[in-house]
Each structure stands twice: as C-alpha cells, then as structure tokens.
Amino acid sequence: MPVSSSPPPILDSSLCRLLFLGSRDSSTMRKCLWLWGLLFIALGFAWSITAERNPRTERISGSAGDVLEDDPVGRLKVYVYELPSKYNKKILQKDPRCLSHMFAAEIFMHRFLLSSPVRTLNPEEADWFYTPIYATCDLTPTGLPLPFKSPRMVRSAIQLISSSWPYWNRTEGADHFFVVPHDFGACFHYQEEKAIERGILPILRRATLVQTFGQRNHVCLNEGSITIPPYAPPQKMQARQIPPDTPRSIFVYFRGLFYDVNNDPEGGYYARGARAAVWENFKSNPLFDISTEHPTTYYEDMQRAIFCLCPLGWAPWSPRLVEAVVFGCIPVIIADDIVLPFADAIPWEEIGVFVAEEDVPKLDKILTSIPPHVILRKQRLLANPSMKRAMLFPQPTLPGDAFHQILNGLARKLPHPKSVYLKPGEKILNWTAGPITDLKPW
Amino acid sequence: MKLSALQQSYLGRRSNSFRSSGPLDSSSDGAFKSPAAVFWLVLHGLSCLISLLLGFRFSRLVFLLLSTSSTYTSPFHSPTELAKTLDIRSVIPADPVGNVPLPFPNKTATNSRVVVGRHGIRIRPWPHPNPVEVMKAHRIIERVQTEQRLQFGVKDPRKIIVVTPTYVRTFQSLHLTGVMHSLMLVPYDLVWIVVEAGGVSNETASLIAKSGLRIIHVGFSQRMPNSWDERHKLETKMRLRGLRIVREKILDGIVIFADDSNMHSMELFDEIQNAKWFGAVSVGILANSANIDETVVEKRGEEENPRMPVQGPACNVSNMLAGWHTFNTLPFAGKSAVYIDDRATVLPRKLEWSGFVLNSRLLWKDGDKPEWMKDIDTLDGDIESPLDLVKDPSVVEPLGSCGRRVLLWWLRVEARADSKFPPRWIIDPPLEVTVPSKRTPWPDTPPELPSHKKPVIGIQEPIIKHTTKTRTSRSKRRSKRKHDETRTDRRTTGFDKTLQN
C-alpha cells in the first residue's frame, strides 16, 4: 500500500478520483487510502473466517480455546528413564495380548515417547520424567488384567529410580508422570470398595497420573491427574466405515450387559442400577435399539444411530465413548460425577448429553426434548476430524491424537511451582504406608 | 463384542475372589466375631427361612421398614423391587477383616457424593413407549436425515419435470400407480406433466390426484391407436406436447421422460441432477422373450459377447461417449407384437425416450442455450429418436458412471384391446354387461316382475360377474354373449315358465 505523500501518476484517472472521493488533496487521499486498506483487510478476515467455516463441521473451541490442535513440541521436554526390561519389554514378550486390550495405552505411550521430538536425553533440562512400567500387563487366560502385583512392581521401580537418579528425591515425584490406565487408576484394584480402601498408592501421591478413570470427589482421582480415553484399535474402526450419506435411522443404540449375572444377578450393584433401569424402562420401546447381543455389525450400527448410550459399568468410563465419538454418534453419558477424557480441552457438555442416573426413567423424554438445532450442532462438532483424532492412539502417531493431547495436558501444568522442589533432607511421602503385602519386593 | 466378553469373564474372576475371600476370612476370624456380627448372622438365617416360607425376600421388607437413608425415593414398579440401601447378605462378604459391621455399610468414607453399594433399579410406573415422545423422536430423525442429505447428497438440487404420456386402458392403473409411487418418493421438487391421449378423463385425474404432487394434466385430442408402431409415434407427439408446456410455462429444471409402464430406481433421480444440458442413461430392456429363437441366440452367443438387454450410451476407455448400445431385435424378427394386445414380444424403438434427460432451458424460447439444440416448434413431424432434437449427437453426456449403471427398466405389458375394467376399479352394480357363470353356488332366487329383471341379476351375483367377464373376454367370440344371455334368461325363468325370451 503506497503511503508516499506525492500521489503517483495513475491517480489522475477518473476511477481513482472516484475512489478517493473526488479529492485531490494529498492528506485526505492518504486517509482514503488507509480507509480502503482497512476495508480490504476486514473483508479478507471475513472471507477467511467464512471459508474456514465448513458447514459440515464446526471448530471446537474448548474452555481454553482451540487447544486440541496445539503442538506440544517445544513446550515441554520429557526424559524417559531407562528401566531394565523386566519392567516393560519382558512383560510384553510374555503376553502380547497387552497390545490390543483397553489398557494398551501405557505401552503405546512408551513407544511414542521414545521416538518423539519432546524426548530429551539430558535429564537436567527435562520438565517431566516418565517411568515406563507396564503395570497392567498381567493377564488372566481370558485376557483380564490382574492388579495384584502392580503395587509391588511400581514400588520396586521407584526404588530403582530414586536410587539411581537424583531427580525423584528432588521433588518426591512431583515432576514425574505415570500411565496407569487400569480400572481405578493407581488404586490398583478392579473392585471399587477395595480400591477406595487402598486409595492411590502412597508413593505415587505426588506424581501426575495419566489414567482412564475419572470421577469427581473420588479417592482414586488425584487433583491434576490427566484423564485419557481407553485404548480402542484405530485400524479396526477405520476399516468399518460406511458411506456418510447412509441415513441415521436408529434413535438410541446400545449393546452391552444390563445385569451382570455372574456377580450381581439381581442388579443394583452393577452400574449402580443404572443399566438395569435402562433395560427395564425401555426394553419395549422401538426407539431404543438396546440388547445384550453381539452383532457383527456393531460399528456399522453405531454409524446409523443418532444417540449412543454410554452408561457406567463397574467403573464409570467405557470404550463406548471413544467409539461413539469416532462414529459420529452423540454420546449419552449416564454416570454421575464422571470426569471425561481431556476435560479441560474438550467441551463435553456441548458434544454429548449428560443424564443423571436418577433421571434414567425419563431418558426418552430428555432425549426427545433436545431441540433439533442443538442435535445438529452436536453432530457437526463430532464430525470435526480433530475431535475424532484426539480420542485415538494411532500407530504411527498423527498430529492432534491422544498422545499429543496428553503432552498438551502436561505442558499446561508447566512451569512447576517452586513448592514441589523439596529442601534437601525433607521427606513428605511415607514409603512404608499401605498394606503389608505391597511392601514385599518384586 | 470382545469388550463384554472381557467384562463378563473379568467379573467371573472377580466373583471367584469375592467368594473365596468370604468364607476364608470369616473362618480365620472366627475367634474375633463380635456379637453384632453373630446377631446379624442369626437374623440373616431367620430371614432366609422366612423367605423360603413366604416366597419372597423378607429381608428386603425389613430393611424398607427400618431404613432411613436417602437418595432413592423415586416411584417403583412393585413392592418386591423396592429400593434398599444394602442387603444383609452383602454385609458379611464385604467385611473381610471382621470389623464391626456398620448397619449401613455405605462406605461413604470416600467423601464422594456418589455412593458405593447396592442401589435401587428405578422403573417408572408405565415403562412403555409414550406416543408423544415417539412422534417427537421421529421428527428428530427426519430432520437429521434431511440434514445428512443436504450435506452429503446433491448440492443445489434442481426441480425435476416429469413428462408422461398415458391413456385410459385396463393396465393404466397398474402402470401409473407404479410411476406415481416412485415420484412420490423423490426427495426433490417435482412437476409432473401428464399428457393423456383421448382428452383429459376423470379416470386418470382421480388416479393421479392421490399423489399429492404438483401435476399438469393435459389432454391430447387423438385417441391411442391399436398398433405399437402408431402408438410409439403418438407417444412421441405427446411428449413434444409436454415439452411445449415446459416452454410455455418456462419451467426450470431437468426434464425426464417417465413412460407409465417403466420402473425407475431412486438412484436415477439422484444421478440426473448431474446432467448439464443433455444426458443419457442406460435403460434395461425387459422384452418378454417368450418366442425368440433359442438356437439363433446360442450360436451367436458363442462367438460374440452375450447381448445385454440394455439401451444407452457407450463409452470408450477415457470415459467419453463413443457410441450407443441398442437392443438387438434380430432374434425377434418377424415375431414381434404388432397390435397392442398381441401375445408376442413387444420391442422397443432403437433408442427409447426414457433414457434421455434434458435441461429445461434447452426448450425455452430465449435464454442462453447451446446452438446444437433444435427448436422444438420447428420439428413437428416424425422424430425417430430423441437424438433428433440435437444437431450433433456427440454433445450428449453419459450418466450413471458412463452408462455402466442401469437406472431404469423398460417394459411394455398391455391387456387385450377389448378388455373391460370397472371405472376407477370400483365395482358398482349394476354393470353394463351381466353374464352369470354356468354354475352358481347360490340357488336361483324366485324371479321378480319383468321390469326388474336386470337389476335382480345384478344384485344376486355381483362377485361372480367379475370372473365371468374375464372368461368371456378370453373366449373372444361376440356371438357367444348373445347365447349366454338367452341361457341366463332361460335359467332365471326356470321356476316361472311364463317368461320367455
């Protein structure tokens, strides 16, 4: 934009005279130039904003802005401890099923960090320290993880790192993070009462826990923990996509248990009675496609449904949330006080529908009273690819996926407050707390 | 799903530990059992016995009466499913180390608002679908599907203008209903131009009025002739009349020719939205091949590719129009139907009109249209095929992945020329021709006065008349009717010998 005081010769044309509002005076001409320039810039902004506004998707502006697409590289540095392979590789070799179950995030996180640009080999400049322990990889013959040895494994690993490196003792673990994707996180038990009794493992109480479990005011959720989605195999889900113009004809969809006949045949314990209530109230309702059957078209059906129920089970979280988000089905979350994955980055209130457990009998009224424009908006938010990517752990990693969201979450906790650094000799954690069985060496 | 199998066996394992911990712990802690625990055990045993006698869980009733807590006060289905905070039975296993069992071991020591333990199953008083909610849900589903169609379907769909020549005959109802229902399903704006040979009739009007579509119903003064050749020529003229209406009313959209005996797929209407000026689709030809010479076909079949009953554009490798597939009529030579009611195969023309679609702007008087389009006012004579509308046949756009998808089917089935059908297909006695069947299942009624002879017969056997009509129409001999009439009279006058014809 020419800002020179002397007007160039082209301004003598009649068009330019029109542009400059008929004035020949240089100062008013300059003002006019500025005006036109501003107008063009404003138009350009408006055009770019509307161009980005694809009618099919909407940008997710979370509570902290568009944080889903933040790039963690450069904002933090992570040092990965070199533990002997008995803590990670040997366990995986013994049972490769650990790579495909719901708790596989701990293994994939380790692999991701090993080759990530945020990894640093110099522990002095690291902001966060990662300890690769595959605590959830002790599987029964049917494939379920037993948490009984995990506390001892973690203790022995921490004893190792506190004796071989000085960084643990510096902060007693406050700048360390651990991935504990099991049912109740670092409480290391699958039964809620026992988990609550145990509480979070005492030596992990100052560390940041990356876990799938999230419930407000619960012993097993520490302040400052990062909640992640359970692992769901991305290739399997990608392979079962149907054309997007297939009309969504199922109103509410759910497949799973309502009564856990092995452990709680009358109901009331399992899911705090919520799943049983769903069944009893809506089993005869044609709008609700709910059953305990195992269809082979489970993924395809989800893509043909408008609402997908995600009620709690024995624990509040479930892979159904991930599946619902990936397939564009609005999740209906029936779990009181649940903390959903990446809750500080993803505005779950705008994407899903929350129903209190006591309101389950009125579920049909609640869902049909949502105005259609709200439903369409939720579907647009769900259609956003960054939303789907944030729920998945793809191999190889993609920008904006769950690994990056975890790193973003860790980066948002930086810088560490000065209080985490202990004075030499100061000790806060009680190394002998907890049940006696935990103190046995591993 | 793997997940629930996982969960199930997971919890199976869980229950094993559950049960194993129970007796183990209680036996090991036998010495430390507090009196309260013993009391609860005794009470538990008692209530078990009482429940066995009564037939329902007595302990629950006790707890209902005793319980003071809390949060589960919603209305319930039946007394046996009343909510309790905890059952006695669950107290003991949950208590491994012989602590004093609390009366309500809610374990709210977690300072969580959500309580661990047994909860009630909330069931509303009438757990069945509410019709108001169902309707609302259906409206939501419709709205979502409309939105999906807007997003993933055709962008800026144009109106579809359907031109159908028809005339009143027995099979008209069958064919026109089929076309009408297909058009009612089309998700785009539609205008249906129905050109009727022999003038506008109530029959056709009442049939198409049920559709709820926007219809322009015009009559064509000539009656439909009885030979297929003549019929095709007249149909062409009727279609041109329809095109002239498009020009007069300056309708904007895509013109498609839907003959009333064709069958259209829904994808056809989506596909033709892609036509810019003049498009062609592949038409499946269903010629009723009852009499073709099988040997001829087989011999040819060995050497060449099997003939497809398809008419439409043919493309070369680079998906450009290279020629036309037409239906091979050689096997039918000399054996095809000439008159509309012949039982032989009805053959299509070389290129059927129904396989072509045009942009209505090509028909307008003014406006920018390509110069290869002929003015329809100048053509009045014989147009052999729709390609005669354009000067250069290479401008036609092949649709349906270059003619590879067959999107509609052509079929011609008509009844005999003299077949009769009740007007609007409502059997309303008295009918014009009344001939009873030879063997009536009902006894003959005593005859009434001669002046009421005909109506009596009509009321007597209304249903049988239907079948006799077809029988007579099949028998073909007009003279027989008179014979039958005499027979009728003779039979009804069986009782009364006074009446003679």
Side-chain angles (χ1 to χ4, degrees):
Chain A
M1 196 163 59
V3 199
S4 57
S5 50
S6 61
I10 57 161
L11 288 179
D12 284 352
S13 74
S14 55
L15 175 66
C16 295
R17 229 174 283 145
L18 187 70
L19 274 176
F20 291 104
L21 308 168
S23 70
R24 282 295 202 94
D25 187 21
S26 70
S27 65
T28 50
M29 234 187 278
R30 217 191 299 168
K31 270 189 232 155
C32 291
L33 272 171
W34 275 111
L35 267 175
W36 281 109
L38 280 171
L39 188 66
F40 274 122
I41 291 174
L43 279 176
F45 258 120
W47 177 80
S48 70
I49 286 171
T50 52
E52 280 193 287
R53 219 6 105 97
N54 185 358
R56 203 174 297 172
T57 69
E58 249 180 64
R59 295 181 73 85
I60 298 168
S61 319
S63 45
D66 286 339
V67 291
L68 277 184
E69 287 155 35
D70 280 351
D71 190 11
V73 175
R75 292 169 58 197
L76 80 164
K77 292 225 175 296
V78 176
Y79 178 73
V80 182
Y81 284 122
E82 294 275 333
L83 288 185
S85 59
K86 72 169 180 171
Y87 291 101
N88 32 55
K89 291 209 188 70
K90 285 230 183 84
I91 299 181
L92 183 58
Q93 267 166 8
K94 260 190 260 172
D95 199 343
R97 286 178 299 174
C98 291
L99 279 174
S100 49
H101 69 171
M102 294 188 279
F103 310 107
E106 56 182 6
I107 303 172
F108 291 120
M109 190 68 189
H110 183 203
R111 293 189 183 177
F112 165 73
L113 284 172
L114 285 177
S115 53
S116 159
V118 302
R119 182 192 186 189
T120 165
L121 298 166
N122 176 8
E124 290 299 327
E125 61 170 12
D127 302 306
W128 286 101
F129 294 84
Y130 173 63
T131 322
I133 318 171
Y134 298 169
T136 330
C137 199
D138 180 17
L139 303 184
T140 63
T142 48
L144 298 157
L146 293 173
F148 303 119
K149 297 201 198 132
S150 315
R152 290 160 49 202
M153 200 196 309
V154 173
R155 278 183 66 92
S156 104
I158 294 180
Q159 266 161 352
L160 182 62
I161 60 176
S162 61
S163 49
S164 320
W165 288 274
Y167 309 106
W168 179 270
N169 294 324
R170 198 166 61 166
T171 58
E172 290 232 295
D175 53 357
H176 289 58
F177 72 92
F178 294 83
V179 181
V180 281
H182 198 249
D183 277 357
F184 287 96
C187 293
F188 290 121
H189 210 279
Y190 47 80
Q191 218 186 316
E192 190 164 4
E193 286 137 342
K194 294 238 175 64
I196 292 173
E197 254 183 69
R198 296 177 60 99
I200 296 185
L201 201 65
I203 40 172
L204 288 179
R205 294 225 174 118
R206 281 170 66 85
T208 296
L209 298 170
V210 178
Q211 58 190 49
T212 52
F213 171 76
Q215 192 173 309
R216 282 190 275 276
N217 303 320
H218 199 278
V219 181
C220 298
L221 182 69
N222 228 350
E223 272 303 313
S225 297
I226 298 177
T227 331
I228 61 171
Y231 176 75
Q235 287 88 353
K236 236 209 272 182
M237 293 201 277
Q238 239 76 309
R240 306 275 281 277
Q241 301 231 320
I242 60 177
D245 59 347
T246 316
R248 287 189 186 261
S249 48
I250 303 175
F251 193 59
V252 177
Y253 188 76
F254 175 75
R255 289 288 184 273
L257 293 176
F258 298 102
Y259 291 93
D260 184 353
V261 284
N262 293 328
N263 298 293
D264 180 33
E266 296 150 0
Y269 253 121
Y270 180 54
R272 295 198 274 269
R275 286 195 186 196
V278 169
W279 176 251
E280 297 299 338
N281 280 299
F282 301 111
K283 61 187 173 200
S284 60
N285 196 325
L287 295 172
F288 283 66
D289 186 355
I290 55 179
S291 96
T292 52
E293 296 263 316
H294 264 235
T296 44
T297 53
Y298 178 65
Y299 288 149
E300 287 84 352
D301 289 342
M302 267 194 156
Q303 293 171 74
R304 283 179 38 231
I306 301 183
F307 290 105
C308 286
L309 294 184
C310 304
L312 71 161
W314 287 107
W317 56 270
S318 118
R320 279 181 192 87
L321 185 69
V322 177
E323 288 158 358
V325 169
V326 168
F327 294 128
C329 180
I330 301 175
V332 179
I333 297 152
I334 309 174
D336 286 346
D337 281 348
I338 188 173
V339 175
L340 288 174
F342 307 128
D344 49 349
I346 300 177
W348 287 105
E349 286 286 336
E350 295 182 37
I351 292 168
V353 179
F354 286 83
V355 178
E357 286 165 31
E358 59 184 5
D359 288 333
V360 166
K362 297 185 267 171
L363 188 61
D364 60 345
K365 204 186 300 190
I366 295 173
L367 292 180
T368 53
S369 60
I370 304 177
H373 68 93
V374 171
I375 294 181
L376 292 176
R377 175 156 189 269
K378 287 188 202 275
Q379 289 191 322
R380 278 197 300 270
L381 284 170
L382 281 170
N384 198 337
S386 63
M387 180 71 216
K388 297 187 212 267
R389 240 178 296 140
M391 288 281 115
L392 294 174
F393 295 92
Q395 257 78 47
T397 183
L398 294 169
D401 63 8
F403 299 116
H404 289 89
Q405 302 304 329
I406 297 173
L407 292 178
N408 282 337
L410 291 170
R412 281 195 286 273
K413 295 180 82 178
L414 292 175
H416 296 294
K418 287 272 175 284
S419 54
V420 305
Y421 293 100
L422 305 175
K423 303 185 210 29
E426 183 184 351
K427 270 207 173 314
I428 299 184
L429 290 180
N430 182 358
W431 279 73
T432 52
I436 305 172
T437 47
D438 282 359
L439 302 177
K440 290 191 218 150
W442 184 75
Chain B
M1 202 182 71
K2 232 201 284 183
L3 168 62
S4 51
L6 206 78
Q7 287 273 42
Q8 244 170 334
S9 38
Y10 184 51
L11 305 162
R13 174 208 6 127
R14 192 196 292 249
S15 72
N16 289 336
S17 63
F18 219 47
R19 278 186 234 121
S20 61
S21 66
L24 214 79
D25 288 326
S26 53
S27 62
S28 64
D29 297 325
F32 301 94
K33 269 258 161 59
S34 54
V38 175
F39 165 69
W40 282 114
L41 197 57
V42 168
L43 195 61
H44 175 56
L46 262 177
S47 63
C48 269
L49 283 170
I50 298 176
S51 311
L52 274 173
L53 289 172
L54 289 176
F56 67 88
R57 294 261 310 261
F58 179 68
S59 52
R60 288 187 144 178
L61 206 53
V62 172
F63 263 104
L64 168 66
L65 297 171
L66 293 179
S67 84
T68 52
S69 91
S70 65
T71 45
Y72 323 112
T73 50
S74 0
F76 294 117
H77 193 55
S78 66
T80 50
E81 286 168 9
L82 285 170
K84 302 299 171 294
T85 50
L86 264 186
D87 194 22
I88 305 181
R89 238 194 286 158
S90 57
V91 169
I92 293 165
D95 212 64
V97 200
N99 293 335
V100 175
L102 313 160
F104 300 115
N106 277 348
K107 307 260 196 277
T108 42
T110 69
N111 69 355
S112 159
R113 202 169 55 89
V114 182
V115 177
V116 178
R118 183 175 291 281
H119 296 237
I121 302 171
R122 294 175 174 87
I123 303 175
R124 62 191 195 197
W126 181 247
H128 292 293
N130 181 348
V132 174
E133 307 300 334
V134 172
M135 277 320 298
K136 276 201 242 175
H138 279 290
R139 256 173 245 131
I140 293 178
I141 295 178
E142 259 178 55
R143 181 70 189 87
V144 168
Q145 288 185 357
T146 320
E147 184 69 24
Q148 274 186 282
R149 217 176 291 131
L150 280 175
Q151 285 185 1
F152 300 107
V154 179
K155 300 272 179 294
D156 303 323
R158 292 175 278 176
K159 182 154 55 177
I160 302 198
I161 304 164
V162 186
V163 175
T164 301
T166 184
Y167 69 105
V168 178
R169 73 251 193 227
T170 309
F171 274 52
Q172 181 200 32
S173 206
L174 170 79
H175 296 313
L176 210 55
T177 310
V179 176
M180 189 168 75
H181 288 170
S182 303
L183 295 181
M184 282 160 77
L185 282 177
V186 172
Y188 310 112
D189 277 340
L190 200 90
V191 173
W192 193 12
I193 303 179
V194 180
V195 185
E196 189 172 352
V200 172
S201 74
N202 282 340
E203 182 82 25
T204 316
S206 65
L207 190 58
I208 58 184
K210 293 185 221 157
S211 65
L213 301 167
R214 190 180 147 207
I215 297 175
I216 303 174
H217 187 185
V218 291
F220 201 76
S221 46
Q222 270 179 274
R223 292 185 59 93
M224 192 61 83
N226 201 24
S227 78
W228 282 108
D229 263 341
E230 299 290 320
R231 175 172 161 170
H232 282 125
K233 288 205 185 93
L234 189 65
E235 277 181 357
T236 310
K237 291 209 189 102
M238 286 157 76
R239 288 189 192 103
L240 285 178
R241 175 80 177 82
L243 293 181
R244 252 172 236 123
I245 294 177
V246 174
R247 161 183 285 217
E248 281 159 33
K249 299 202 186 256
I250 317 181
L251 297 174
D252 187 15
I254 304 177
V255 180
I256 171 176
F257 300 103
D259 296 344
D260 63 357
S261 53
N262 287 358
M263 176 56 67
H264 311 87
S265 69
M266 286 299 114
E267 289 83 14
L268 170 70
F269 298 101
D270 293 328
E271 186 65 27
I272 58 178
Q273 296 280 353
N274 298 331
K276 275 217 333 267
W277 288 111
F278 203 109
V281 292
S282 289
V283 182
I285 304 293
L286 303 172
N288 204 5
S289 49
N291 291 335
I292 58 168
D293 195 349
E294 290 291 342
T295 54
V296 172
V297 172
E298 271 168 30
K299 255 190 241 161
R300 292 264 178 80
E302 283 162 16
E303 300 155 15
E304 305 155 8
N305 296 329
R307 243 153 280 112
M308 293 284 152
V310 169
Q311 258 185 19
C315 290
N316 59 13
V317 181
S318 50
N319 279 348
M320 306 283 289
L321 183 67
W324 299 92
H325 287 304
T326 58
F327 187 62
N328 185 9
T329 55
L330 276 180
F332 305 93
K335 300 190 201 87
S336 68
V338 174
Y339 292 101
I340 287 185
D341 43 9
D342 279 351
R343 276 172 63 210
T345 322
V346 182
L347 292 179
R349 304 288 95 186
K350 265 263 168 334
L351 282 174
E352 278 291 327
W353 279 82
S354 39
F356 291 88
V357 295
L358 16 133
N359 191 335
S360 62
R361 285 166 203 238
L362 290 174
L363 303 163
W364 291 357
K365 279 202 192 62
D366 332 302
D368 54 342
K369 51 184 188 178
E371 28 85 71
W372 41 255
M373 181 70 186
K374 293 187 198 163
D375 195 340
I376 51 171
D377 278 340
T378 58
L379 329 151
D380 213 11
D382 257 338
I383 304 193
E384 249 308 303
S385 90
L387 289 181
D388 290 337
L389 285 173
V390 295
K391 295 177 190 145
D392 176 18
S394 62
V395 297
V396 178
E397 306 151 35
L399 300 173
S401 50
C402 213
R404 280 188 278 273
R405 288 174 61 196
V406 173
L407 297 170
L408 70 155
W409 295 270
W410 178 97
L411 173 68
R412 288 284 180 264
V413 176
E414 295 294 345
R416 285 175 43 84
D418 61 346
S419 77
K420 300 258 186 295
F421 64 99
R424 301 189 201 184
W425 289 96
I426 298 172
I427 300 173
D428 190 12
L431 295 173
E432 283 177 17
V433 177
T434 64
V435 184
S437 64
K438 292 192 180 156
R439 281 176 279 277
T440 60
W442 301 293
D444 295 331
T445 60
E448 299 190 19
L449 299 171
S451 55
H452 299 300
K453 191 158 61 157
K454 282 243 166 65
V456 165
I457 299 172
I459 296 166
Q460 196 181 9
E461 313 161 52
I463 300 167
I464 311 248
K465 259 183 236 130
H466 203 41
T467 49
T468 53
K469 261 192 335 93
T470 50
R471 217 179 289 159
T472 50
S473 63
R474 229 188 271 155
S475 61
K476 225 198 307 202
R477 271 160 272 157
R478 289 180 192 267
S479 56
K480 199 167 186 218
R481 210 175 284 138
K482 271 199 223 134
H483 212 285
D484 287 340
E485 265 177 8
T486 57
R487 223 185 294 148
T488 317
D489 291 303
R490 225 178 286 140
R491 286 187 58 243
T492 49
T493 58
F495 295 102
D496 189 353
K497 292 209 176 80
T498 56
L499 286 168
Q500 286 177 10
N501 44 335

